Amino acid sequence: MNEEQRNRKRAYDLLWSKENRAKNPEAVRAKEREYQRLRRADPIIGARLRARDRAKKAGKRDEINAKKREWYHKDIDGTRRKAIAAYRKKYDSGDMSFRMAAAFNAARHRAKKRGLEFSITREEIGSPSSCAVTGIGFDMTRSFRDGNIFVPSLDRIDPALGYVRGNVRVVCHGYNLAKHTGTDADVLKLARGLVAKH
């Protein structure tokens, strides 16, 4: 097959593909997804495809991220609703590592917004099962929005400092709310007052 024949065949295949996709786009997409899934399941082919995809995306990272943001904010094809639903499902599953990743990302966002230093890593936080101050076990069955104050939260020991090594611990959200910009001594004074009163 010479170059001219190859070009003719390529043009014919492209035209056929466009016409077929126009007739039944959902069926074509489903077939393509299944084909890609099977290819990626093969360890050798899958590794080669992933390497190729990484190489293709490497030079277009900013462009890809901008497009993702646009799709998310405009909710194209329900992108935002799907992302929020997937996040909520995983959050409600009570997976501690996911909850801590969410807390870590939220803290990083707050630090950037408030101009605070942020130099901790996700690994430094770990995945504790109880509050570092009170010793109360975390309740992962509900979220803070549902009125659960025993979910994990990142606390800055010294509120004047940022999220730096040695200044961050994982506590109950309720303890973090009580402490706010105060100190552990302030919360202890409050607790003693409550105990004495009741």
Side-chain angles (χ1 to χ4, degrees):
M1 185 183 289
N2 59 34
E3 189 63 30
E4 185 183 345
Q5 288 172 324
R6 269 197 297 272
N7 288 338
R8 271 208 308 271
K9 183 179 185 308
R10 201 175 291 124
Y12 173 80
D13 289 345
L14 187 62
L15 181 63
W16 180 87
S17 176
K18 282 182 179 178
E19 288 175 352
N20 195 39
R21 188 180 289 274
K23 287 176 188 173
N24 196 345
E26 193 52 45
V28 172
R29 276 199 292 270
K31 192 174 180 180
E32 285 175 353
R33 280 196 296 268
E34 180 62 16
Y35 174 67
Q36 289 299 334
R37 188 187 69 76
L38 290 171
R39 289 185 76 199
R40 287 176 186 281
D42 183 284
I44 297 170
I45 296 174
R48 200 161 51 220
L49 286 173
R50 285 189 288 275
R52 183 202 66 185
D53 290 346
R54 280 194 295 270
K56 278 171 69 177
K57 290 176 181 177
K60 300 180 180 179
R61 183 59 56 195
D62 293 338
E63 184 184 332
I64 290 168
N65 287 341
K67 191 170 184 180
K68 280 182 180 178
R69 281 193 295 271
E70 182 189 355
W71 276 56
Y72 182 84
H73 290 301
K74 290 184 178 179
D75 200 21
I76 297 171
D77 287 345
T79 305
R80 187 192 312 153
R81 278 174 285 126
K82 288 174 187 174
I84 291 171
Y87 178 89
R88 178 54 54 190
K89 185 178 179 182
K90 198 154 186 181
Y91 188 89
D92 290 341
S93 72
D95 181 0
M96 186 61 182
S97 61
F98 182 80
R99 291 273 184 110
M100 293 317 302
F104 177 82
N105 291 332
R108 184 168 52 188
H109 178 73
R110 283 195 303 275
K112 185 177 179 182
K113 191 175 178 181
R114 298 173 187 172
L116 298 171
E117 185 182 352
F118 191 94
S119 59
I120 58 171
T121 64
R122 170 67 188 86
E123 290 72 29
E124 288 172 0
I125 296 169
S127 295
S129 58
S130 59
C131 175
V133 180
T134 64
I136 297 171
F138 295 126
D139 179 3
M140 310 295 281
T141 57
R142 294 175 298 134
S143 69
F144 178 68
R145 288 182 179 180
D146 298 325
N148 180 12
I149 64 168
F150 298 105
V151 292
S153 171
L154 294 188
D155 171 49
R156 286 176 290 140
I157 298 167
D158 182 353
L161 300 176
Y163 293 88
V164 295
R165 188 172 290 130
N167 194 47
V168 179
R169 61 191 172 184
V170 184
V171 299
C172 292
H173 201 105
Y175 183 86
N176 209 348
L177 287 172
K179 179 173 170 278
H180 194 45
T181 55
T183 64
D184 290 339
D186 294 332
V187 185
L188 188 59
K189 182 179 178 182
L190 181 67
R192 282 175 175 157
L194 283 168
V195 171
K197 180 78 175 174
H198 295 281

